[in-house]
Amino acid sequence: MGKDKKKDKTSKHIKCDVLFDNNPQGVFRAGDTVSGTVEIQLDKPKKVRGIALRISGFAQTNWNAKVKGTTEKAKKKNKKTHFSGREDYFGTITYFVGSDVGNPLEVPAGVHRYPFFCVIPATVPTSKEGKYGHIRYLVKVSLERPWKYDHVFQMPFIVQSHADLNVAQDRMLVPTRAEVIQSFYFGLTDPLIVTATTPRTGYAPGEVIEVSVHVNNQSSVDVRDIQIKFQRIDTFLSQVPTEQEHLEHTVLEERTIARVARRNDAVFEENILIGSTVPSDDERCKIIRTRYEVTILVRPVRSRKKLLLTLPLVIGTVGLPASIYPMQMLAKEREALGLNAVTEGGLADVAGPSGIATPFELPPPPYRENSQPSSPTARVFSPTDMDDDEAAATAPPTEHEFEKGSEPYTPRDFDEHD
């Protein structure tokens, strides 16, 4: 009866607590041993077949969608279909009292304590909660009664997997780069060229992603704005009745860069601090996969065309060693963390136990949704920073790029004041 969720219930005469040893928050790492005590308090004697403890870890996906029928008659109508998937990682069953097939026993009133322990496999994925599925780890206590509903109590706990970026250090150090070229007015103008880069691929919470955006606007169209998003993408896969997938995008940080004028060349730099989050994973769980990316959306004025650049990243739990970092990168990470500027003597004033000042030795800060930094982290390099001769060479021409005396082509369906 304990397997039927509709027949599980609790009782006001029974109180059950699950207490983890030296871990009141119930947060464990993959490979750890979960140990603790189940404390059951009965107001009056209870007749049970057994008192069982189940510790399990599993992933589950489910959602409803409308699909077309398979027969000729049903093809004209969309049928509501339930998609689901499940993957189990481990499960243990321990009977403190009785068994699943034993005769009923009477448990006297009072407080009863039962110790327990379980080893979490080292290959399990991190706990996750999403719109279309979840990865959960539960401690479930059942008072199984013959011919009656079972009394069930459960306590979730969190598991964090181990993702060391140093295992694939060479791949994590590879810079990311994306470029897009767009012309306007049927190719009659010079192009708008946007290039985005990050210095490496792998990062960990507490580190800073240095996003560089180079806008070479040779066209006669202004750029309204540039939106930069650091987001997590969870992919949920079903197994029944067919294999389908659903995507969920979670924006962790968002920045906006102001207008870039026509015939202008500018470089922007955004430092994005990574808060507490789950690591990238496409191997440990087959039905819920997690990846990260930085997207750059460029929106030109008077044009429906939007330019999208994507920089895929890998987020781990153990970062790359600070010894491979240039000093400039450490300075930018300190700036994003809100620490004082780097002194001429170096970073010895904030050196941790290793003797090297690094944000890895600082606890990752709590992540704030939709937050903006107190001071701007973007830096813009424009022709005003150049010498007079260089500025004169890059100044926009007084005449339109079309031949003097002719009128430039302007589509009528565009808003001139947009």
Side-chain angles (χ1 to χ4, degrees):
M1 296 178 64
K3 295 182 180 179
D4 192 344
K5 293 184 179 179
K6 295 183 180 180
K7 296 182 180 180
D8 292 344
K9 70 173 187 176
T10 58
S11 172
K12 62 181 180 179
H13 301 293
I14 304 175
K15 182 180 179 181
C16 180
D17 290 324
V18 178
L19 307 175
F20 297 109
D21 292 339
N22 303 319
N23 195 339
Q25 295 181 347
V27 180
F28 301 88
R29 294 185 180 276
D32 287 354
T33 298
V34 180
S35 63
T37 302
V38 174
E39 185 177 287
I40 300 176
Q41 182 176 347
L42 302 178
D43 293 344
K44 59 181 182 179
K46 281 286 184 182
K47 185 172 290 187
V48 299
R49 185 175 64 246
I51 300 178
L53 171 74
R54 293 174 172 85
I55 303 178
S56 61
F58 61 93
Q60 192 169 12
T61 60
N62 57 82
W63 66 83
N64 294 321
K66 291 185 178 181
V67 297
K68 292 184 178 181
T70 56
T71 63
E72 289 294 333
K73 185 176 180 181
K75 283 183 178 180
K76 299 180 180 180
K77 296 182 180 180
N78 292 333
K79 181 181 178 181
K80 187 177 180 180
T81 305
H82 180 72
F83 294 87
S84 63
R86 184 179 176 95
E87 190 173 70
D88 292 288
Y89 304 112
F90 68 95
T92 63
I93 301 177
T94 303
Y95 275 88
F96 299 136
V97 175
S99 65
D100 58 340
V101 295
N103 296 323
L105 303 172
E106 184 174 272
V107 181
V111 178
H112 305 270
R113 296 181 177 86
Y114 307 99
F116 68 90
F117 75 94
C118 175
V119 178
I120 304 174
T123 58
V124 299
T126 298
S127 302
K128 296 176 187 176
E129 293 291 331
K131 183 178 180 180
Y132 305 106
H134 51 255
I135 300 175
R136 291 177 181 172
Y137 300 89
L138 299 174
V139 175
K140 187 176 180 180
V141 181
S142 302
L143 277 72
E144 300 175 357
R145 303 187 298 170
W147 308 109
K148 292 183 179 180
Y149 296 147
D150 294 343
H151 294 305
V152 178
F153 307 86
Q154 63 182 20
M155 171 70 71
F157 60 94
I158 298 174
V159 174
Q160 299 175 344
S161 62
H162 185 72
D164 190 351
L165 299 180
N166 295 280
V167 174
Q169 187 178 109
D170 293 340
R171 186 167 66 91
M172 296 299 103
L173 288 173
V174 175
T176 65
R177 186 178 187 275
E179 182 178 84
V180 63
I181 303 175
Q182 181 64 57
S183 298
F184 304 93
Y185 302 149
F186 305 102
L188 298 177
T189 68
D190 290 333
L192 166 63
I193 306 174
V194 182
T195 305
T197 61
T198 62
R200 52 196 169 101
T201 300
Y203 295 87
E207 298 180 355
V208 170
I209 305 172
E210 186 186 60
V211 182
S212 178
V213 180
H214 179 200
V215 181
N216 183 9
N217 190 3
Q218 305 174 17
S219 72
S220 59
V221 177
D222 293 349
V223 172
R224 179 189 291 114
D225 58 34
I226 302 173
Q227 296 178 353
I228 300 177
K229 292 182 181 180
F230 171 52
Q231 60 184 353
R232 183 181 77 238
I233 303 174
D234 295 311
T235 303
F236 301 88
L237 303 173
S238 67
Q239 299 166 328
V240 179
T242 59
E243 292 186 3
Q244 299 287 340
E245 71 175 31
H246 252 301
L247 298 180
E248 182 178 359
H249 294 73
T250 303
V251 178
L252 304 178
E253 186 74 27
E254 185 173 0
R255 307 283 177 83
T256 300
I257 298 174
R259 177 182 297 247
V260 179
R262 68 193 73 182
R263 310 265 202 287
N264 194 15
D265 188 279
V267 176
F268 302 89
E269 187 176 289
E270 289 286 345
N271 297 325
I272 300 176
L273 178 65
I274 304 175
S276 299
T277 186
V278 299
S280 303
D281 188 3
D282 59 357
E283 297 179 355
R284 294 181 177 87
C285 182
K286 302 301 181 184
I287 62 174
I288 301 179
R289 300 171 182 171
T290 300
R291 58 187 174 90
Y292 291 85
E293 66 182 21
V294 173
T295 61
I296 298 93
L297 181 64
V298 182
R299 302 196 303 167
V301 174
R302 297 188 300 167
S303 176
R304 295 190 180 95
K305 297 179 180 179
K306 297 179 181 180
L307 287 64
L308 180 64
L309 298 87
T310 302
L311 302 175
L313 301 177
V314 177
I315 305 299
T317 58
V318 179
L320 300 170
S323 59
I324 64 176
Y325 278 22
M327 296 299 290
Q328 296 87 345
M329 193 63 190
L330 289 176
K332 290 170 183 175
E333 291 187 353
R334 291 198 61 204
E335 179 184 351
L337 288 167
L339 303 177
N340 296 329
V342 183
T343 60
E344 293 182 1
L347 300 175
D349 54 333
V350 292
S354 63
I356 302 175
T358 166
F360 306 139
E361 294 168 351
L362 301 174
Y367 205 85
R368 296 177 296 174
E369 291 282 344
N370 299 326
S371 61
Q372 294 294 336
S374 57
S375 59
T377 58
R379 298 202 302 275
V380 182
F381 302 92
S382 62
T384 56
D385 302 323
M386 304 179 183
D387 297 333
D388 294 340
D389 295 339
E390 295 177 346
T394 58
T398 56
E399 295 291 339
H400 194 272
E401 64 174 342
F402 292 86
E403 183 180 356
K404 183 177 179 181
S406 63
E407 292 294 331
Y409 171 74
T410 304
R412 295 182 180 179
D413 56 339
F414 294 134
D415 186 3
E416 290 289 341
H417 302 286
D418 191 5

